[in-house]
Amino acid sequence: MNVFRLTISDARRALDAKEYSALDLTNAYLDSIVKKDGAIHAYLEVWKNEAREEAKAADVLIARGESKPLTGIPLAVKDLILIEGRIASAGSKILEKYRASYDATAIKKLKAQNAVFLGRTNMDEFALGSSTENSAYGPTKNPHDTSRVPGGTSGGSAAAVSAGMALAALGSDTGGSIRQPSAFCGVVGLKPTYGSVSRFGLIAAASSLDQIGAIGKTVADARSIFECIRGYDEKDSTSLPASTRSDLGDSKGRTFRIGVPRAFLGEGTEPDMLKEFERTLAALGEAGYSIVDIELPSLKYALAVYYIINPAEVSTNLARFDGIRYGLSVSADDIQSVYAKTRESGFGPETRRRILVGTFVLSAGYADAYYRKARAVRELIRNDFAKAFGSVDVIATPISPVPAFKIGEKSSDPLAMYAADIFTVPVNLAGVPAISIPSGAVERDGKKLPVGFQLIAQHGGDETLFSIGEDVEKAGPIPTRHNPTV
Ligand code: GLN
């Protein structure tokens, strides 16, 4: 069993054929965590004993021939998805000791298949950031080069899968937090259609943008997790009924069209990153896809709109952390001081920045100029996508204009950090699904760093991402995902 190369599909076959047990498989991943996580710091906590018990329970089902697709599959869980009785800190000091009192719906569905939970993974505090450097518990390192960031905010989950410390993982994506770390670490990351996976039990960052999704080594692995966790949930008022799904329909004899918003790609994208993107596109062209230029004129406003809407919603959602209801409470003489002192010592600098910006853009004097304007432009972005999908099956862009950057390189310059989100945030504003697939590599300081290719589908078109995504995997010039240096 090679924990680096193994996929969920391989493991499923081997478990059902009794080549090894779910306990053997879990132990192999626990050993790998012991060996490697000292250098990576993907995990905030490893649930060794619980994971072994879950694996044994999975073995009983496998022995009875009753296994489901994820029975006995060892997964990592981002530190903001609730599992009853376990700590979920959202990478924050303010929730350091907070224990969940119920299971997130996604977790409940995974438990129903007897998946195994290895531990909770590091992240930027409250899912705010792009590098995992905003964690209150220290940064995670990129397994391809430990002087570099793994991306963020689901950096712990992506690094764990990349370094063979979990077979797959759950993450969340508000503006790229599953796709960008997956690209930086050379694994596959899926941000599903908004509403297709329940947000019940996901600690909220920006509710109209957040979505739970999957990180795995292959498109097929991301899909099998998505198949398990998707579905209508009455506990989430934004949950979608199954009828909103769409797929490619009858594909026989039809040429699929991939739209490329060329005017949007060049600015700020490093030349070799663009070259890798073009190489994958050309390979898809050779495989029979028709590659067409499209216009998405409002996309140039996406970053500005995102960095108004995100802080607005974050400032509202984080108001509940007041030192009274959850987690940390710093005592003081009066209630106002309890609020102030708790929030001052519990929140890190980026979280405070978002709360300040969010409060400002929502304030009576400025809401018309900022928040309401941003909401109106968000509609234009949504319409741009809807219009584009009238003529193409899928849209392709790079995931990031740069490869994994050095730890510390952007942490003192928030605007430089925000700018790296240019290709991922429009997807969350529009609520459409997208996937990041490793496709090629660039060299920095003598090390090969993975590059991610983004496919975006229309609302409800997650299935389209899987079918075309598998062709991207075949077209990918240099698969880098299986050779991290650590
Ligand atoms: N980098 C973006 C932000 O800081 C996206 C984060 C995310 O998807 N959670 O908001």
Side-chain angles (χ1 to χ4, degrees):
M1 181 197 313
N2 178 338
V3 290
F4 262 148
R5 288 180 186 280
L6 199 66
T7 63
I8 295 179
S9 341
D10 301 334
R12 177 80 275 127
R13 192 201 49 76
L15 288 170
D16 291 339
K18 318 271 173 10
E19 286 169 21
Y20 45 75
S21 67
L23 184 59
D24 295 334
L25 182 63
T26 291
N27 280 330
Y29 279 96
L30 290 173
D31 287 349
S32 171
I33 295 171
V34 170
K35 277 194 214 120
K36 292 184 205 132
D37 206 34
I40 304 292
H41 188 43
Y43 283 93
L44 294 177
E45 185 180 0
V46 179
W47 299 311
K48 217 190 298 172
N49 297 332
E50 294 88 339
R52 290 197 176 115
E53 291 310 313
E54 288 157 6
K56 285 183 202 159
D59 278 328
V60 173
L61 290 176
I62 295 168
R64 281 200 227 129
E66 290 171 9
S67 68
K68 303 199 177 77
L70 299 177
T71 305
I73 299 299
L75 304 175
V77 180
K78 189 177 182 180
D79 186 36
L80 80 174
I81 300 172
L82 306 191
I83 305 183
E84 190 182 338
R86 302 197 193 172
I87 290 177
S89 77
S92 180
K93 280 279 175 226
I94 214 163
L95 288 177
E96 188 168 15
K97 300 196 180 99
Y98 167 72
R99 273 182 202 278
S101 54
Y102 61 94
D103 282 332
T105 298
I107 294 294
K108 206 178 257 178
K109 286 173 179 265
L110 289 166
K111 281 187 174 174
Q113 292 207 2
N114 285 78
V116 172
F117 304 114
L118 293 167
R120 56 187 171 95
T121 51
N122 201 13
M123 55 179 283
D124 291 290
E125 183 177 28
F126 287 109
L128 308 172
S130 312
S131 66
T132 313
E133 293 169 289
N134 295 337
S135 167
Y137 304 99
T140 296
K141 320 276 168 56
N142 191 312
H144 291 265
D145 176 351
T146 52
S147 70
R148 290 176 186 274
V149 303
T153 63
S154 313
S157 284
V161 176
S162 166
M165 297 192 286
L167 196 37
L170 288 187
S172 68
D173 191 311
T174 305
S177 278
I178 288 177
R179 289 160 287 154
Q180 184 255 26
S182 297
F184 281 13
C185 292
V187 293
V188 172
L190 169 73
K191 181 264 176 219
T193 298
Y194 183 78
S196 63
V197 176
S198 171
R199 289 184 297 110
F200 183 70
L202 169 71
I203 297 177
S207 310
S208 77
L209 303 161
D210 294 342
Q211 191 60 191
I212 293 178
I215 298 175
K217 291 200 194 86
T218 60
V219 171
D221 281 7
R223 177 188 210 155
S224 48
I225 294 191
F226 175 66
E227 293 297 340
C228 171
I229 63 177
R230 78 188 305 182
Y232 174 74
D233 182 9
E234 61 179 21
K235 295 198 176 92
D236 173 356
S237 63
T238 58
S239 180
L240 290 173
S243 59
T244 52
R245 292 175 198 174
S246 70
D247 58 29
L248 282 173
D250 190 8
S251 58
K252 278 194 205 78
R254 191 156 91 73
T255 302
F256 293 111
R257 292 161 71 88
I258 301 180
V260 183
R262 292 224 183 257
F264 185 60
L265 302 185
E267 249 172 88
T269 307
E270 293 184 359
D272 55 353
M273 295 294 286
L274 210 50
K275 212 167 125 200
E276 291 303 280
F277 173 74
E278 292 293 350
R279 219 139 66 99
T280 307
L281 265 189
L284 287 165
E286 269 165 41
Y289 284 90
S290 141
I291 316 289
V292 297
D293 285 3
I294 55 165
E295 302 280 334
L296 294 167
S298 307
L299 238 54
K300 57 177 176 290
Y301 305 120
L303 266 184
V305 168
Y306 177 86
Y307 278 100
I308 291 171
I309 291 184
N310 171 292
E313 295 187 18
V314 166
S315 71
T316 313
N317 275 322
L318 298 193
R320 61 170 67 84
F321 300 106
D322 57 4
I324 306 295
R325 284 176 282 196
Y326 303 87
L328 182 75
S329 183
V330 179
S331 56
D333 292 342
D334 56 79
I335 189 81
Q336 282 300 338
S337 313
V338 170
Y339 296 159
K341 288 198 167 155
T342 300
R343 289 165 71 81
E344 186 187 344
S345 53
F347 288 140
E350 181 61 24
T351 304
R352 285 190 236 168
R353 183 177 297 120
R354 303 269 178 130
I355 293 171
L356 288 174
V357 171
T359 309
F360 175 79
V361 300
L362 288 172
S363 62
Y366 292 98
D368 281 336
Y370 293 101
Y371 180 64
R372 292 198 186 95
K373 184 69 71 56
R375 299 232 358 199
V377 180
R378 181 180 188 173
E379 283 313 304
L380 297 180
I381 294 169
R382 219 193 278 272
N383 291 341
D384 271 5
F385 274 106
K387 207 170 131 206
F389 286 119
S391 63
V392 296
D393 297 290
V394 79
I395 294 172
T397 73
I399 285 286
S400 167
V402 293
F405 42 89
K406 289 269 188 195
I407 293 175
E409 188 181 323
K410 295 186 196 288
S411 48
S412 56
D413 184 354
L415 291 182
M417 190 79 92
Y418 299 169
D421 296 338
I422 180 137
F423 296 125
T424 50
V425 298
V427 166
N428 302 69
L429 290 170
V432 293
I435 195 166
S436 172
I437 301 168
S439 191
V442 293
E443 209 173 292
R444 295 287 182 278
D445 303 333
K447 294 217 162 116
K448 278 210 184 312
L449 302 175
V451 174
F453 185 85
Q454 174 162 249
L455 285 178
I456 307 167
Q458 67 174 311
H459 196 261
D462 306 77
E463 297 301 329
T464 304
L465 297 179
F466 303 132
S467 43
I468 299 184
E470 291 193 335
D471 287 338
V472 176
E473 279 179 325
K474 286 180 213 142
I478 322 162
T480 53
R481 63 176 177 265
H482 295 319
N483 58 358
T485 50
V486 174

